[in-house]
Amino acid sequence: NNDDEEEEEEEEKWIPDLIIVCAGYDALDSDELASCNLIAKNFGDMTRMLKNKMAGLDVEEEEEEEVERNKIPRKKPALMFGLEGGYQLKDGAAGGNLADAFLETLRAL
């Protein structure tokens, strides 16, 4: 359907100004609250995946178009992380604790 194709093209062109990540560190396997199975390293992996996706955003074509319309040129979106959960504070927790997961996130940035 042409309408679906047009919507997909518009979605591909849209670039947010800000990406907010609600970092739910309670998803650690060692954290009993969320009952998920992530380890600290996974948070770094996910952060790298997001950064790679952001690096692939094509802002140059849109930039030229906006300059012609006397608008401020677009830049890649800002990235903000918010701590949303994470209650495992014990050192040596299997799969890591909150501090381990947070450090993995920071290293990936």
Side-chain angles (χ1 to χ4, degrees):
N1 187 340
N2 285 342
D3 290 338
D4 292 338
E5 289 175 14
E6 287 177 20
E7 282 182 32
E8 285 179 24
E9 286 177 19
E10 284 297 316
E11 287 176 12
E12 289 177 16
K13 290 180 185 178
W14 182 77
I15 298 173
D17 295 321
L18 174 66
I19 295 174
I20 301 172
V21 177
C22 296
Y25 293 104
D26 54 344
L28 283 165
D29 186 44
S30 60
D31 195 311
E32 296 177 9
L33 186 64
S35 300
C36 294
N37 298 321
L38 298 179
I39 61 172
K41 180 185 174 303
N42 296 142
F43 287 91
D45 294 340
M46 290 185 285
T47 302
R48 277 185 286 284
M49 289 168 46
L50 177 58
K51 281 189 65 183
N52 288 339
K53 181 70 173 172
M54 290 173 63
L57 293 176
D58 186 13
V59 294
E60 293 175 34
E61 289 178 27
E62 191 170 333
E63 207 170 317
E64 290 176 17
E65 189 177 302
E66 288 189 356
V67 169
E68 289 175 16
R69 291 183 280 164
N70 296 324
K71 291 185 178 180
I72 298 170
R74 292 293 311 256
K75 296 180 181 176
K76 293 198 190 278
L79 183 59
M80 180 178 91
F81 283 79
L83 177 59
E84 194 173 85
Y87 309 96
Q88 179 53 269
L89 304 175
K90 295 178 185 172
D91 287 334
N97 63 14
L98 172 61
D100 298 329
F102 183 71
L103 285 173
E104 289 291 335
T105 302
L106 288 179
R107 285 183 186 124
L109 293 171

